[in-house]
Amino acid sequence: QVQLVESGGGLVQAGDSLRLSCAASGRAFSNYHMAWFRQAPGKERDFVAAITWLGTSTYYADSVKGRFTISRDNAKNTLYLHMNSLKPEDTAVYYCAGKQKWGVITTTPADFGSWGQGTQVTVSS
């Protein structure tokens, strides 16, 4: 499996922007569909955004559509999540996850076999 390490989280105010990064190593990053999930305290891990292995298609949860942008740089083995117009309800631990490209991309956490350790994003009102 590919190894994943997130960075870029922090404490911001409502309306601010933040960019998360996910550095991959081990296996060929370009062989993986990638996604971001988030988990708030006491809640399930929710889908945020996903991108296919070549970066040709992206998918977003309704709650972040128009505010967040997922992208990847396969030459740098890095996945990004650009977050604009942040809201207090975006507060969560954000995880990047990888799923091998042999199959369709999904939004279900159980379908992803590689996970990072997570990075905390806190949005104050």
Side-chain angles (χ1 to χ4, degrees):
Q1 300 288 357
V2 64
Q3 284 78 52
L4 304 170
V5 178
E6 303 95 334
S7 62
L11 172 62
V12 297
Q13 293 187 334
D16 284 352
S17 298
L18 206 58
R19 187 185 78 166
L20 304 183
S21 299
C22 173
S25 62
R27 297 280 184 153
F29 177 66
S30 59
N31 285 340
Y32 286 78
H33 300 309
M34 297 297 298
W36 289 97
F37 293 86
R38 65 187 181 186
Q39 188 167 19
K43 296 188 176 182
E44 295 184 349
R45 191 166 296 189
D46 291 332
F47 168 75
V48 175
I51 187 167
T52 52
W53 62 288
L54 279 177
T56 51
S57 296
T58 57
Y59 307 86
Y60 296 94
D62 288 342
S63 59
V64 307
K65 202 170 294 184
R67 299 188 299 123
F68 290 12
T69 302
I70 188 171
S71 63
R72 66 189 297 163
D73 186 336
N74 285 349
K76 295 183 178 180
N77 293 336
T78 304
L79 174 74
Y80 302 100
L81 184 68
H82 300 257
M83 305 185 292
N84 296 321
S85 303
L86 282 161
K87 305 176 181 180
E89 50 264 44
D90 294 319
T91 295
V93 177
Y94 283 71
Y95 299 90
C96 65
K99 175 185 183 296
Q100 291 191 12
K101 68 180 183 181
W102 322 114
V104 298
I105 193 169
T106 73
T107 62
T108 304
D111 291 338
F112 288 77
S114 298
W115 290 86
Q117 82 290 348
T119 185
Q120 177 70 47
V121 172
T122 303
V123 184
S124 63
S125 58

